[in-house]
Amino acid sequence: MRWSPSTSRFRLAEHVVEHVGGVPRILTAMRTVEGLRLEHTLIHRAGENHLGVEVEFVNDSPEPVTVDALTSFNFSGISPFDSADSPERLVVHRLRSSWSAEAQPVSDTIESLQLERSWLGIARLSERFGQVGTMPARGWFPFLAVEDKVARVTWGAHLAWAGSWQMEVARLGDDVAISGGLADREFGHWSHTAMPGERLAAPTAILSCTQGTVDDVADRLVAAQNEAADAQPESERSLPIVFNEWCTSWGNPDRERLIAIADRLSGEGVEYLVIDAGWFRGTSPDVSWALAHGDWIPSPDLFPHGLKEVADRIRDRGMTPGLWFEFETVGEDSTAFTLTDHLLQRDGAPFTVGNRRFWDLTDPFAVDYLTTRVVDRLEHDGFGYLKVDYNEHLGLGTDHADGLGEGLRRQVLAGYRFLDGIRDRLPQLVIENCASGGHRLEPSMIGRTAMSSFSDAHEVPEIPLIAGNLLSVMLPRQMQIWSVLHPSDSDQRLVYSLAATFIGRMCLSGDVVGLDETQWDIVRRAIALYQRASPIIRNGRSRRGGVHGPSLRHPTGWQSVTRYVDDGRGLLVVLHTFSKGPGSVQIPLDGSWRIEESLSCGSTSLLVEEGELRIDGLRDFEGVVVRLKPARTGKGESLSMPNRD
């Protein structure tokens, strides 16, 4: 606290240990002579390897107070394992993100970030980064870790916030600190005037420290998401397989095609069938789905008997019907686009980005409108699955007396309330989080939904790499990964695509009706293997291996994801080769294992021996999935797969 004149005025007022629902909470309160109060609460549940942090500012003074920054957490004193200034031993780990290229790891030394101690030790040094707007994973993920390479200790933090945020690596003398919270007045144009008696909460942060690597600390941070995932509908426990028709119709879903898809999938192990964007288009084929959303009236041309009739037919075939909405925004061809009194404003005019505007979710009219058009439809038409998309963001924010940033903050909180209200009313509804793919992959949105679209990467070869990167920030059981299938696909291409879904949640799409029986047999085997592997995907811990080049679009080399269940009952290996990949790969295994079943193509052969899984006969762009169980003996076991080409 000595770094900042504003916080140095605070003195310890209270330090207590409370128990709320059996969970210990350590409250540390600081207070100024004027009556300003900061409450810092640490939360730790027995058996967990992470801490939750909640921070609130309380204005107990008699006057209004303007707050320009509110931090969620601060780790300082890095690294205590070196009495000097830790030259060449501290590494900062972050995750860059762009559309269809989410969570790319970036590691920088303290020296490369120009955070070396100054000769006198009095310079305040800082590397600040973050995201402004309502797509919190659009440029960076709200994730930060610092590793001491000599002591092999890593500190990590993850912010849970769907709005503007910032994180910082700072240094004063030998003291390196990391912090994060709301984007402040300088970075995010945010400030708020707190009235007497008002409380103001920072985003929740998740913290951990471990003797290990950045992967180890990321595992601990991601484990914090289990509590919210466990609170999702009971149907999610078995990781049901999804079919989404987006890459089948590309915004033109219609009754006949959906019934044909339902007929093909009936009895095949797919449990959710989702109608994606375009169901609300008018009768004109020239109307774009991206311009027409907002009124949410089903197209009489695409659905002459209404949506409920199609939803009923999907249920009759043993599946739960799902429906796509982008309800926070409206397209320029909708009537809702003209309801400007109830849309967000900037500088006194409707805030328009491209062809979209935004409902003001703090406005009761907007909430009532969306309740009628969205929630009532889901309930009345019998949909059990909701896909929530979001394809634009608010930038600096929208009009509010305290400034643009406060307008944005209030919209984020109102969005939370609306989502929570849907869950309260329809507790068994399965909700998917999507924002142009992965632009809202942070704990507060992930935790409010059953699963999240991992990316808008649908048919590209880099899907396994993106999914592997995202293991650092989300649970596999909530990471929905696309496998788009076509009759023109070779057997090798089908297996490559299907194998990627074993890194997370299997989501099928494409022309499944057109697949021949040989192709459908591959899909059927993948579905059956996924169902048997789902306990490992749900409960395990992952480790990545492989050597691949820097390009996502043109990947080279190979990647493996090995997922263990801690009780030793199961192990899953997912392998992908890329361009210039090896013909043979050895993957180390902890303990003794035997091959239970596998999915592969071509002349691939598998052998478990001497603590490793050996996979031979690999070609470029090969996918292999192997499920293993504890071995009865220490002898090697092999399995050869016939050539299907």
Side-chain angles (χ1 to χ4, degrees), residues 104-415:
Q104 296 188 69
V106 178
S107 299
D108 300 291
T109 65
I110 285 288
E111 290 78 13
S112 68
L113 294 175
Q114 290 192 299
L115 296 176
E116 283 192 280
R117 182 187 192 276
S118 62
W119 65 274
L120 193 55
I122 61 173
R124 289 174 170 82
L125 309 173
S126 171
E127 169 75 8
R128 182 168 52 170
F129 67 102
Q131 182 56 44
V132 175
T134 44
M135 286 183 167
R138 187 171 59 100
W140 294 98
F141 272 76
F143 168 92
L144 175 61
V146 177
E147 179 181 8
D148 183 330
K149 295 189 298 178
V150 176
R152 287 186 52 78
V153 171
T154 307
W155 297 261
H158 205 176
L159 278 175
W161 180 240
S164 299
W165 59 270
Q166 66 187 45
M167 283 183 161
E168 187 172 18
V169 186
R171 184 167 204 158
L172 178 61
D174 289 348
D175 187 1
V176 175
I178 60 175
S179 63
L182 288 173
D184 63 17
R185 190 168 194 165
E186 179 186 16
F187 189 84
H189 289 242
W190 175 79
S191 66
H192 173 63
T193 300
M195 303 307 292
E198 184 177 351
R199 304 178 73 94
L200 181 62
T204 299
I206 304 101
L207 310 177
S208 191
C209 180
T210 184
Q211 186 169 15
T213 67
V214 62
D215 291 332
D216 295 316
V217 83
D219 279 350
R220 292 178 170 217
L221 298 175
V222 169
Q225 298 172 24
N226 275 304
E227 182 184 8
D230 288 342
Q232 296 300 319
E234 186 69 25
S235 63
E236 278 292 282
R237 295 300 175 94
S238 61
L239 310 192
I241 293 167
V242 183
F243 184 92
N244 183 305
E245 59 75 39
W246 170 248
C247 296
T248 309
S249 73
W250 297 105
N252 290 284
D254 63 78
R255 175 185 182 274
E256 286 71 24
R257 192 192 325 244
L258 285 162
I259 292 173
I261 292 170
D263 287 338
R264 165 58 102 172
L265 297 177
S266 180
E268 297 288 3
V270 175
E271 296 188 43
Y272 303 141
L273 200 169
V274 182
I275 304 170
D276 210 281
W279 57 268
F280 43 82
R281 288 166 48 131
T283 56
S284 170
D286 298 327
V287 174
S288 167
W289 68 267
L291 303 179
H293 72 289
D295 298 335
W296 306 118
I297 299 172
S299 165
D301 184 44
L302 297 174
F303 298 94
H305 306 295
L307 278 176
K308 187 178 188 305
E309 185 255 354
V310 174
D312 288 344
R313 287 179 175 263
I314 292 171
R315 284 198 180 274
D316 289 344
R317 287 152 179 80
M319 288 168 285
T320 298
L323 195 61
W324 179 99
F325 281 94
E326 187 183 339
F327 54 72
E328 292 155 274
T329 74
V330 297
E332 64 182 18
D333 284 346
S334 69
T335 300
F337 195 82
T338 67
L339 302 179
T340 56
D341 287 347
H342 308 290
L343 304 178
L344 291 175
Q345 311 282 310
R346 183 183 290 181
D347 299 328
F351 179 53
T352 308
V353 183
N355 51 39
R356 280 174 167 78
R357 289 175 177 170
F358 300 78
W359 286 111
D360 179 356
L361 296 180
T362 68
D363 182 343
F365 175 91
V367 173
D368 289 345
Y369 180 99
L370 292 174
T371 299
T372 300
R373 300 294 178 100
V374 177
V375 188
D376 288 358
R377 176 165 299 285
L378 292 169
E379 184 174 44
H380 176 268
D381 289 353
F383 285 95
Y385 185 111
L386 164 64
K387 178 175 179 178
V388 179
D389 210 342
Y390 188 70
N391 292 298
E392 270 300 350
H393 72 108
L394 297 183
L396 292 177
T398 56
D399 287 350
H400 186 272
D402 282 343
L404 299 177
E406 178 64 4
L408 183 149
R409 188 183 73 89
R410 289 174 180 266
Q411 178 76 355
V412 171
L413 294 175

Side-chain angles (χ1 to χ4, degrees), residues 622-637:
E622 194 94 66
V624 179
V625 181
V626 187
R627 186 170 73 90
L628 301 99
K629 283 194 172 183
R632 296 189 184 95
T633 69
K635 297 180 180 180
E637 180 175 349

